[in-house]
Amino acid sequence: MAIFIPIGLIVLLNIAGIMIGLLALVAGTVRVGILSGMSFGKVETTRLFKEVSSIRLSPNRDKGLYYYGGDFFVMDIKSEETLFKGPVKGKSREIVLDNNIGWVNNEEILFVIKDYRNEKFEEHITKDLVNFTKIPQVKNGSQEYSNSYKKSLYLSENDKTLIIKYENGELWDTNLIFDRKHVFDDWSNDDKFVFISAKKTQYLINTENKRIFKMTEPIYGEWAPTKNVYFTKGRLFYPETMKFLNLRLNNINDGFQIGFHWSPDSRYILIKTSSETYILDTNCPKEVPKHLFRIKGCFDEEFSWSADMKSVFFLYHNTGFSILKPVDFYVAKVDIATGKTKKLFIDGLLYHGFYWVDDNTIYYEIDHTSGLFKSKLKW
């Protein structure tokens, strides 16, 4: 005999489930499965901050920068203790709260500061949120900096030739002429090489020996984190020799390639499609990429690598069972050698910011609930 449950009762049950979950979050600690009614276990979530909802992690993820109550703070991630504190507003200047704030390296932070005395906006670097070093600017126009901010390039005001400026103040006129509005740069991570692109023309510049190469066709992709290798459209480009290596990606035929991620040690490239993930070992670039895993759901952009480089962590979501929580979120760990996958359900409503802190910790923001949350993952 069929049993019919009124829609209104279903809605009330969903609301009740969510209210229980939210009350647990407010109380401080929540176990996985409260909202869904199922117990997946192995995840414990606490609220890290009640009013701070976003944090910027240093490249090695051992420090976090956040803003609260008119001050910036740098926090030690492991101890969660404050390392540095500095005010946004000073006697003659004010830090601009926008997306230009970020970590230059594991110790230095870049800020844009407005000087009240001349109404100028200038970039500064600081280590302790108190002492700031202004980045030198050219008199006219703007300049683009390398990853370390030790080199920069700009177009001369008179003839629009490309000038490269070195840390010691040396200026190199490359004699390359560009339209100021259409110049794009892409620096290697050691600042040795830089791609300069303008419309359909692209040059590769070696800033150490001051050699310039015109590319036969523009290429776009991403530099390896620790090596001078460039991944682009199924090829590896080696700037030291100006040679390409075609990769064997014929086995990736289940969908459009939507992204890729270098491992921090520059050995692996993770290649994503709409539902599949492959891994390429650049130590053996002529081999076919290995199929790593497939999921029923949608990838999110937050990938991470384990400290020993033996596993990959990622976030994905799929359709939920509650009409008030239409999406369920999961984190997963995949062993690179075996492809074995472990997944954990992340409770809560839709989130915004999401950060991998380490192999067993994530930070994230929950929709309709103030604060920043921390989940300990017990794989």
Side-chain angles (χ1 to χ4, degrees), residues 193 195 204 215 219 223 227-232 235-247 262 280-286:
F193 295 96
F195 280 114
L204 176 68
M215 306 296 293
I219 62 173
W223 290 98
K227 299 178 181 179
N228 282 325
V229 184
Y230 197 76
F231 178 71
T232 173
R235 297 184 293 174
L236 292 177
F237 173 65
Y238 299 88
E240 300 285 0
T241 59
M242 293 297 295
K243 292 184 178 180
F244 286 91
L245 176 65
N246 292 322
L247 302 174
W262 281 97
L280 171 73
D281 187 344
T282 61
N283 287 349
C284 308
K286 295 184 178 181

Side-chain angles (χ1 to χ4, degrees), residues 70-282:
D71 294 308
F72 275 101
F73 297 81
V74 172
M75 178 184 75
D76 180 86
I77 294 299
K78 289 185 178 180
S79 66
E80 297 179 4
E81 295 180 354
T82 298
L83 299 175
F84 306 107
K85 174 184 176 182
V88 170
K89 293 184 178 181
K91 293 181 179 180
S92 60
R93 57 94 177 137
E94 176 181 354
I95 295 176
V96 180
L97 301 176
D98 61 13
N99 292 327
N100 289 325
I101 298 172
W103 291 88
V104 176
N105 50 51
N106 291 318
E107 302 296 331
E108 298 176 312
I109 307 169
L110 174 70
F111 287 97
V112 174
I113 292 180
K114 178 182 178 180
D115 193 322
Y116 296 144
R117 296 167 294 186
N118 53 26
E119 294 297 315
K120 288 185 177 180
F121 293 86
E122 297 173 321
E123 293 178 316
H124 290 68
I125 288 178
T126 180
K127 292 183 177 181
D128 57 9
L129 302 180
V130 176
N131 300 294
F132 291 81
T133 301
K134 184 174 71 173
I135 299 174
Q137 301 290 319
V138 295
K139 292 182 179 180
N140 297 300
S142 60
Q143 55 189 333
E144 298 296 330
Y145 287 90
S146 63
N147 296 298
S148 68
Y149 279 76
K150 294 181 179 180
K151 299 177 184 177
S152 64
L153 55 87
Y154 64 94
L155 297 179
S156 63
E157 182 65 21
N158 297 328
D159 54 9
K160 295 184 179 179
T161 58
L162 183 72
I163 308 294
I164 292 182
K165 184 177 181 179
Y166 294 82
E167 186 179 19
N168 61 4
E170 177 189 356
L171 299 179
W172 172 34
D173 188 340
T174 65
N175 292 317
L176 297 176
I177 299 176
F178 295 97
D179 182 343
R180 186 180 303 279
K181 297 181 181 179
H182 303 286
V183 179
F184 303 94
D185 60 294
D186 189 358
W187 293 83
S188 62
N189 284 283
D190 65 352
D191 298 345
K192 180 177 181 179
F193 295 96
V194 58
F195 280 114
I196 304 295
S197 306
K199 296 183 179 180
K200 296 183 179 180
T201 303
Q202 187 179 62
Y203 296 90
L204 176 68
I205 299 177
N206 185 325
T207 65
E208 291 187 2
N209 61 22
K210 298 182 179 179
R211 298 185 64 185
I212 301 174
F213 305 90
K214 186 175 182 180
M215 306 296 293
T216 56
E217 61 176 319
I219 62 173
Y220 300 97
E222 185 175 320
W223 290 98
T226 60
K227 299 178 181 179
N228 282 325
V229 184
Y230 197 76
F231 178 71
T232 173
K233 293 184 178 179
R235 297 184 293 174
L236 292 177
F237 173 65
Y238 299 88
E240 300 285 0
T241 59
M242 293 297 295
K243 292 184 178 180
F244 286 91
L245 176 65
N246 292 322
L247 302 174
R248 300 175 61 188
L249 304 184
N250 294 334
N251 64 322
I252 303 179
N253 57 7
D254 64 310
F256 179 71
Q257 296 178 35
I258 61 175
F260 59 89
H261 300 265
W262 281 97
S263 62
D265 62 355
S266 301
R267 176 175 177 177
Y268 297 105
I269 300 176
L270 201 66
I271 304 173
K272 298 189 305 179
T273 70
S274 58
S275 60
E276 306 279 357
T277 299
Y278 300 79
I279 192 164
L280 171 73
D281 187 344
T282 61

Side-chain angles (χ1 to χ4, degrees), residues 18-35 42-50 347-348 364 366 369-370 372-376 378:
I18 290 175
M19 289 304 296
I20 293 173
L22 291 177
L23 287 173
L25 286 171
V26 173
T29 304
V30 59
R31 293 290 293 185
V32 168
I34 291 178
L35 297 184
K42 298 187 178 181
V43 176
E44 290 187 356
T45 300
T46 57
R47 183 155 53 184
L48 186 65
F49 298 111
K50 291 184 178 180
D347 219 341
Y364 57 98
I366 297 178
T369 305
S370 62
L372 190 68
F373 293 83
K374 178 179 75 173
S375 285
K376 298 297 292 184
K378 300 180 181 179

Side-chain angles (χ1 to χ4, degrees), residues 338-357:
T338 65
K340 183 178 179 180
T341 302
K342 298 179 180 179
K343 69 175 184 178
L344 297 173
F345 177 76
I346 302 300
D347 219 341
L349 302 178
L350 300 179
Y351 61 81
H352 298 293
F354 183 92
Y355 318 90
W356 282 101
V357 177

